[in-house]
Amino acid sequence: MQAYDAKRKRMVNVERNEGDTIIAYSLPDEPGVWYFPLIVDGKNVEPFEILGHEQDNFHGGLYL
């Protein structure tokens, strides 16, 4: 899944998210390097725009 980092004006690959709160991301040209944005009260402090939601194949504790 990708998101737009509005403050830094760049695309990021969202590696993990909780709802629409981005908890970790990487840059497309730096795979394996993790960045962790500041989160307050369950929301990102800096603005991110999620560009697409991938279908979640996790259901009831089993991968389908």
Side-chain angles (χ1 to χ4, degrees):
M1 177 182 323
Q2 290 190 321
Y4 180 70
D5 179 351
K7 182 177 179 180
R8 293 172 189 86
K9 298 178 181 165
R10 65 184 178 187
M11 298 295 298
V12 295
N13 294 320
V14 178
E15 298 294 336
R16 297 172 40 200
N17 75 351
E18 234 173 56
D20 285 337
T21 302
I22 296 172
I23 58 175
Y25 66 90
S26 65
L27 299 175
D29 58 341
E30 296 179 0
V33 178
W34 292 83
Y35 296 91
F36 302 93
L38 182 60
I39 298 171
V40 175
D41 295 328
K43 296 183 181 184
N44 293 108
V45 172
E46 297 175 355
F48 287 92
E49 180 183 339
I50 297 176
L51 300 177
H53 290 276
E54 294 177 356
Q55 183 178 359
D56 186 5
N57 290 330
F58 189 79
H59 178 71
L62 299 173
Y63 283 102
L64 302 177

